[in-house]
Amino acid sequence: MAALKALMVDVDGVVIRPRPGGWAADLEADLGLSPAVLHDQFFGPHWADIVLGRAGLHERLGPVLAEHAPHLTSHDLAAYWFEKDAELDETLLADLAALRARGVQLHLATIQEHERAAYLWGTLGLRDRFDAMHYAADMGCRKSEAAFYKMVEARTGFRAEDLALLDDTPANVDAARAAGWGSVLWTGAAPLADVLATHGFA
């Protein structure tokens, strides 16, 4: 079995449980904004720039809301979004804590923009459970790109063979494997220790 030195852990769908219907399921009832409008006017045209750090969340969201939901500010919507999309998988986190207690570093590796990354790390307290966070807007690339893995190696000083990614997206798992990392597709169907052992990690 390989001796794992650091496990890179995805956030959405792994550390954070997906909310039935998504975080915006009750958006129209709660805040009077159609999720379809938000998708068509904000996420569709602006999200790629925001999540890769080329534009700020509030910079792009504010004008959209001013036109389509003037009763809301971008900070109102962000607060609602972040709170609705924040159910931690405490069972997995306990298993990760046990792994960390054995000397394995835990890092978050996630596709986030700056505002939610700060919320996850600070307000939600993931900084107390992980050693570092590597996210798309800070790095300028996604986990489906080879550059992401090279940058994490450079930041941490670990070699590819020392690292593994725990992720619920097959494309990211494939990209990690192509970069020489260990890679584990997380479904939540089995305990973490069993999943890691199945993939050959001590």
Side-chain angles (χ1 to χ4, degrees):
M1 281 190 167
L4 184 62
K5 294 186 178 178
L7 183 64
M8 303 289 157
V9 185
D10 183 33
V11 172
D12 295 301
V14 181
V15 170
I16 289 183
R17 297 179 185 273
R19 186 169 184 260
W23 70 266
D26 301 318
L27 179 63
E28 192 157 17
D30 291 343
L31 296 184
L33 174 62
S34 162
V37 168
L38 187 64
H39 178 270
D40 292 344
Q41 301 299 320
F42 174 67
F43 284 108
H46 298 294
W47 188 244
D49 283 342
I50 293 167
V51 83
L52 291 176
R54 299 191 293 254
L57 174 68
H58 298 296
E59 167 194 345
R60 295 290 181 90
L61 182 56
V64 171
L65 294 177
E67 180 176 355
H68 297 282
H71 60 289
L72 294 175
T73 69
S74 62
H75 293 277
D76 293 333
L77 184 58
Y80 177 89
W81 166 12
F82 297 169
E83 184 178 348
K84 290 289 184 181
D85 211 8
E87 183 186 347
L88 294 172
D89 186 335
E90 295 291 353
T91 299
L92 174 60
L93 286 167
D95 290 344
L96 287 167
L99 189 66
R100 192 184 191 194
R102 288 170 35 203
V104 177
Q105 285 196 21
L106 300 178
H107 295 219
L108 294 173
T110 180
I111 306 302
Q112 305 292 336
E113 52 74 42
H114 294 298
E115 299 292 334
R116 186 161 182 255
Y119 176 89
L120 294 167
W121 195 242
T123 305
L124 210 56
L126 293 181
R127 65 183 174 192
D128 299 324
R129 303 175 186 245
F130 292 85
D131 296 289
M133 181 180 194
H134 313 285
Y135 66 97
D138 187 46
M139 300 171 74
C141 53
R142 300 176 183 269
K143 280 184 288 181
S144 56
E145 301 174 54
F148 189 96
Y149 302 92
K150 293 300 182 187
M151 197 174 299
V152 170
E153 291 167 24
R155 284 179 164 200
T156 64
F158 286 114
R159 301 170 301 170
E161 55 265 36
D162 297 327
L163 298 165
L165 175 70
L166 185 72
D167 202 290
D168 68 328
T169 301
N172 296 337
V173 169
D174 291 344
R177 186 175 296 121
W181 291 28
S183 56
V184 179
L185 182 65
W186 178 253
T187 66
L192 177 66
D194 293 349
V195 173
L196 292 177
T198 297
H199 285 78
F201 298 110

